[in-house]
């Protein structure tokens, strides 16, 4: 298709004060209001996006006391006739402006590349770690899925007003919570999007939060179950000693995760305390694992199994690659404080536990003083129905994406195999469920899954940088389905080295010769 002539926004400043009635938005609201409209010149301080029209506004909530959804829409002067919705992170709470780069991409921001961009705060004000909005039902529904549709419809209406025409293609891009949102729009609003980038997706949201509660109980309620940062680092170092070279390269990256998994019993045995005095110790900082400490790590490895079903018959959450290269001493890993704090926080008490604790307090029990270490997730009692409802609202586990496939929608997902926040095995399990439902050929027609060795949740020994948006747009616009991609490492210690991004289940294997820092020295091998 020939590129149309770029067009300036027609009515930028005139859009200030524009009102969109409730009927123009596909879900119930009290309408939307554009509160500001301004042309941002290319010469403005800090602006790397060229001339663009910046619109900010609110989508009015229906329930008294529920925050409005705050949004931003950006209309570039040099428009490429495409629109991109940005996803949020954590519990959101801050407007995603859409003016920055895509996750994992070093290239110019989409806005600078001609995309009309938009984002929102998911319907509440706060930081990405604050969960107290869970006390408000409309805010929970907005966070789970509704803000995506509401912001989409408002943005598309404003784009059409600004340019006098609708975009040719509409995309969604996000990671973590934004990744879950990407799967959410595919499942709930398949007609609204032509392509989605959904990285490190927080699928099975209730499952990951309950897993955090279970791990927290092992750390803080089971005598001796806590692991110090020194001991967690000892586990990581032992795994590296056994598994680093299984892919042919001594590069501090465990690429052949399945071969490493086969050595897991050997790794655990080598880390166990070998005499009774060690096994009975109660202090931290030693270099071996007591039985309660092994149990804590095995709980994280094994994940969650429930004797009841959540929405879409989900009754489990897949465990983490604890003994395959996941570094649990990261900021988002397990606890960094010897004792549980009165108010659990990420760094002292561990991301998974702190988030699970907040989820129980605000979303499930509606009791800010609730003690999550007393909560038995396998026997939730009167909270079981609430868990089911929330899993339907936030979970994004519906396996029926037939409408999205049928209309030609495309999906790219990238995630780290060493992710310590969102289990990579849960993402793989959803992908495998799609293959089981639709067959590999049909899934290949719309989806690409790239699992990245050494990459955690925004950190790691390998942090990929790759133009996924360019790959998605080429697939949607020209039918060029991406295969092996090439990523540049932006981790500080190894910045600039490259590796192939292999389509799951393949992984990068060293060819046995050539520069370890060059992707051309590796091939994509099957486990």
């Amino acid at each position: 298709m020939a590129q149309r002539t770029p067009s300036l926004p027609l009515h930028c400043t005139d859009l200030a004060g524009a009102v969109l009635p409730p009927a123009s938005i596909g879900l119930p609201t009290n309408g939307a209001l554009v509160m500001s409209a301004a042309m941002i010149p290319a010469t403005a301080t800090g602006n790397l996006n060229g001339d663009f029209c910046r619109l900010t506004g609110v989508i009015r909530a229906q329930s008294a006391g529920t925050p409005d959804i705050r949004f931003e829409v950006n209309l570039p002067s040099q428009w490429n006739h495409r629109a991109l919705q940005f996803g949020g992170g954590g519990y959101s709470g801050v407007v995603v402006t859409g003016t920055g780069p895509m996750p994992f991409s070093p290239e110019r921001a989409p806005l600078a590349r001609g995309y009309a961009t938009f984002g929102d705060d998911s319907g509440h004000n706060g930081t990405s770690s604050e969960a107290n909005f869970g006390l408000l039902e409309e805010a929970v529904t907005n966070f789970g899925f509704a803000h995506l549709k509401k912001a989409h419809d408002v943005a598309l209406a404003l784009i059409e007003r600004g340019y006098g025409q609708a975009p040719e293609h509409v995309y969604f891009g996000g990671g973590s919570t934004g990744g879950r949102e990407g799967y959410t729009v595919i499942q709930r609003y398949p007609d609204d999007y032509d392509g989605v980038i959904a990285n490190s997706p927080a699928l099975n949201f209730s499952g990951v939060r309950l897993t955090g509660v279970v791990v927290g109980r092992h750390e803080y309620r089971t005598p001796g179950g806590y692991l110090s940062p020194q001991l967690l680092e000892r586990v990581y170092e032992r795994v590296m000693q056994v598994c680093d070279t299984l892919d042919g390269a001594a590069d501090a990256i465990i690429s052949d995760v399945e071969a490493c998994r086969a050595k897991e019993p050997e790794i655990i045995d080598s880390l166990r305390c070998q005499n009774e005095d060690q096994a009975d110790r109660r202090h931290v900082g030693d270099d071996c694992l007591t039985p309660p400490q092994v149990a804590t790590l095995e709980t994280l490895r094994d994940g969650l199994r429930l004797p009841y079903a959540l929405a879409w018959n989900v009754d489990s959450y897949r465990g983490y690659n604890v003994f395959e290269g996941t570094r649990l001493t990261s900021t988002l890993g397990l606890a960094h404080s010897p004792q549980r704090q009165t108010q659990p926080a990420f760094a002292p008490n561990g991301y998974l536990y702190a988030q699970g604790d907040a989820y129980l307090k605000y979303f499930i029990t509606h009791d800010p003083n609730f003690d999550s270490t007393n909560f038995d997730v396998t026997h939730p009692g009167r909270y079981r129905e609430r868990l089911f409802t929330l899993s339907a609202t936030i979970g994004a586990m519906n396996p029926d994406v037939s409408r999205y496939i049928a209309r030609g929608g495309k999906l790219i997902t990238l995630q780290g195999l060493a992710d310590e926040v969102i289990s990579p095995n849960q993402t793989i399990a959803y992908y495998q469920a799609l293959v089981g439902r639709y067959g590999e050929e049909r899934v290949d027609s719309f989806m690409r899954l790239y699992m990245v060795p050494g990459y955690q949740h925004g950190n790691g020994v390998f942090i990929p940088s790759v133009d996924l948006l360019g790959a998605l747009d080429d697939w949607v616009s020209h039918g060029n389905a991406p295969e092996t991609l090439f990523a540049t490492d932006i981790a500080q210690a190894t910045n600039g080295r490259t590796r192939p991004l292999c389509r799951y289940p393949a992984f990068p294997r060293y060819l046995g010769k050539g520069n370890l820092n060059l992707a051309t020295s590796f091939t994509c091998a099957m486990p």
Side-chain angles (χ1 to χ4, degrees), residues 122 133 136-147 150 393-394:
S122 84
F133 71 93
L136 303 169
E137 259 336 277
E138 186 177 351
V140 170
T141 301
N142 280 334
F143 173 72
F145 63 88
H147 80 100
K150 294 172 183 178
T393 301
I394 311 176

Side-chain angles (χ1 to χ4, degrees), residues 297-312:
L297 293 179
E298 288 181 339
T299 295
L300 189 57
R301 176 203 65 188
D302 295 341
L304 185 71
R305 293 291 302 183
L306 299 173
Y308 54 90
L310 301 174
W312 299 296

Side-chain angles (χ1 to χ4, degrees), residues 68-186:
D68 296 332
I69 298 170
R70 298 173 296 159
F71 68 84
E72 179 168 330
V73 178
N74 308 291
L75 309 179
S77 294
Q78 299 296 312
W79 187 36
N80 65 4
H81 300 274
R82 287 154 174 74
L84 172 66
Q85 181 174 9
F86 278 70
Y91 280 119
S92 297
V94 178
V95 176
V96 180
T97 66
T99 57
M102 281 283 293
F104 313 109
S105 177
E107 305 295 330
R108 292 183 304 156
L111 179 58
R113 297 164 70 174
Y115 287 84
T117 65
F118 58 100
D120 66 274
D121 67 357
S122 84
H124 62 277
N125 308 326
T127 69
S128 64
S129 63
E130 292 178 313
N132 54 4
F133 71 93
L135 300 172
L136 303 169
E137 259 336 277
E138 186 177 351
V140 170
T141 301
N142 280 334
F143 173 72
F145 63 88
H147 80 100
L148 299 164
K149 175 63 174 173
K150 294 172 183 178
H152 168 277
D153 289 359
V154 168
L156 267 288
L158 293 174
I159 289 170
E160 191 158 0
R161 288 192 189 190
Y163 295 114
Q165 57 185 291
E168 292 174 358
H169 297 305
V170 180
Y171 301 139
F172 184 95
S176 195
T177 284
R180 171 185 61 80
E181 291 171 341
Y183 279 83
T184 297
V185 300
I186 286 173

Side-chain angles (χ1 to χ4, degrees), residues 382-431:
R382 62 193 177 99
Y383 298 116
R384 178 171 166 178
E385 183 176 351
R386 179 66 178 162
L387 282 169
F388 183 92
T389 299
L390 285 170
S391 68
T393 301
I394 311 176
M397 287 293 286
N398 187 349
D400 185 1
V401 294
S402 53
R403 173 64 184 169
Y404 190 71
I405 298 174
R407 62 176 300 273
K410 307 302 181 187
L411 167 65
I412 296 176
T413 288
L414 176 152
Q415 184 170 2
L417 282 164
D419 197 319
E420 75 277 42
V421 174
I422 305 301
S423 173
N425 298 310
Q426 180 63 59
T427 302
I428 290 169
Y430 184 86
Y431 167 79

